[in-house]
Amino acid sequence: MTDKLLPCPFCGYKASMTNVESQVPGRFTWIVGCDSEDCDVSFHGHARQVDAAKAWNGQRAIAIIDEILPHYQDARTDTR
């Protein structure tokens, strides 16, 4: 794999990547998903492995920001 996968953005469990045939015969797509049986989160539709890893890892960053931003805003003393 070209990029290391970050843990699941929702549960923190490890992730894995698989390559499956797309709806177009002879073409394949990469799917990245959480390995937890309880989570079932996945991102797919990338023709290149590196793009699938970047999309997954980018969602991790977005999930972290979404989680901490409300706490930061609540802690601000100046509310505009």
Side-chain angles (χ1 to χ4, degrees):
M1 178 170 31
T2 55
D3 279 350
K4 180 180 178 184
L5 296 174
L6 295 175
C8 176
F10 301 100
C11 75
Y13 205 79
K14 71 178 185 124
S16 63
M17 184 180 303
T18 57
N19 192 6
V20 298
E21 190 167 6
S22 70
Q23 294 178 346
V24 178
R27 296 201 181 210
F28 291 84
T29 187
W30 289 96
I31 298 173
V32 182
C34 180
D35 287 346
S36 170
E37 293 178 7
D38 297 326
C39 189
D40 198 31
V41 172
S42 65
F43 294 92
H44 56 86
H46 296 279
R48 296 183 340 151
Q49 186 177 17
V50 67
D51 293 335
K54 285 180 182 178
W56 175 265
N57 292 342
Q59 290 302 318
R60 172 76 177 157
I62 290 169
I64 291 170
I65 290 169
D66 286 346
E67 182 179 328
I68 64 171
L69 189 58
H71 299 292
Y72 171 76
Q73 290 173 334
D74 290 343
R76 290 182 56 187
T77 56
D78 64 328
T79 55
R80 298 179 200 200

